[in-house]
Amino acid sequence: MGLLRVAVFVSGNGSNLQALLDNLTGMVEFVLVLANKPDAYALVRAGKAGVPTAVVRYEDYPHRAAFTRAILDLVTEKKVDLICLAGFNRILDPLLIEAFPLRIMNTHPALLPAFGGEGMFGRRVHEAVLASGAKISGATVHFVTAETDRGPIILQAAVPVLDDDTPETLAGRVLAAEHRLYPEAVRLFAAGRLRVEGNRVRIIPG
Ligand code: GAR
């Protein structure tokens, strides 16, 4: 059996993509990096790693279903086993989620189910955490289901919220946690060690 075929969807800097590439190259096969923005720095990272890239702009399609259909065609053509959302800032139409049941992962920069849901992306998440007065935030890697940010949680790590944090300093601490968790979650998936029972994910001992 060949290596797990992974596609990573990005919109911006791609530091999580980099963490996946750095930690998993050779253990899985990165067959596609897909961006919805042509100027995403993540595309440069993919190019340097020799991973094929594609740009699918939301603006080029009449509605979300057509945008998602174009993406579905690409991942089908590439025989993708697992899709990793890594800072991808578009909600996917259920048609892709249904085609890849429990085969799409996402990293979210807070401890879900808090501070998630539609519109909770990047800096806005950290602003909401700071405004809430929470003393702890963190990173969550989860499976994507039709309900935004509510799919089964695979791994979480907590980070402290410090008194003088700004959205940027908090984001940096959370990103460092994401960079550890995301490769680990994909590694566990590739090893067949994630068993989903309802909304809970059991990690099978190695
Ligand atoms: C990450 O912190 C990721 O969790 C977040 O965007 C950042 C992307 O950084 N995603 C979301 O907020 C999804 N709701 P990166 O481009 O450097 O990987």
Side-chain angles (χ1 to χ4, degrees):
M1 221 182 73
L3 297 178
L4 187 81
R5 296 172 66 82
V6 177
V8 186
F9 290 9
V10 295
S11 301
N13 179 28
S15 70
N16 278 289
L17 165 67
Q18 193 68 57
L20 294 172
L21 293 170
D22 290 348
N23 288 283
L24 297 173
T25 296
M27 288 168 70
V28 304
E29 190 173 352
F30 292 98
V31 295
L32 178 67
V33 169
L34 183 147
N36 62 329
K37 295 196 160 127
D39 59 349
Y41 184 67
L43 290 169
V44 176
R45 298 180 187 271
K48 284 185 181 159
V51 179
T53 59
V55 176
V56 181
R57 292 173 71 243
Y58 187 81
E59 299 74 16
D60 291 342
Y61 297 87
H63 42 66
R64 186 160 77 178
F67 167 73
T68 308
R69 167 58 63 189
I71 292 175
L72 181 54
D73 287 348
L74 270 171
V75 294
T76 304
E77 182 196 317
K78 292 274 184 187
K79 297 186 167 49
V80 168
D81 298 311
L82 176 70
I83 296 170
C84 293
L85 308 184
F88 188 68
N89 65 8
R90 282 284 170 187
I91 303 283
L92 294 164
D93 189 271
L95 103 96
L96 183 69
I97 298 166
E98 281 157 19
F100 281 79
L102 301 177
R103 291 197 293 139
I104 307 177
M105 283 185 193
N106 180 45
T107 177
H108 185 82
L111 293 176
L112 293 176
F115 305 108
E118 212 146 336
M120 284 300 247
F121 188 86
R123 184 189 168 93
R124 282 158 81 172
V125 178
H126 304 297
E127 285 172 349
V129 169
L130 291 174
S132 77
K135 298 291 189 188
I136 294 176
S137 190
T140 302
V141 178
H142 65 97
F143 284 114
V144 172
T145 58
E147 215 185 335
T148 304
D149 291 335
R150 286 296 183 139
I153 291 170
I154 301 166
L155 293 173
Q156 285 186 307
V159 306
V161 178
L162 304 181
D163 289 349
D164 53 3
D165 261 337
T166 63
E168 289 72 29
T169 59
L170 178 56
R173 200 174 306 117
V174 169
L175 269 175
E178 295 186 76
H179 297 164
R180 288 194 307 274
L181 288 193
Y182 213 174
E184 176 65 5
V186 174
R187 197 179 65 77
L188 290 167
F189 182 95
R193 290 179 54 199
L194 299 178
R195 182 177 304 154
V196 182
E197 297 170 356
N199 215 39
R200 302 183 73 178
V201 179
R202 185 186 293 277
I203 296 172
I204 313 296

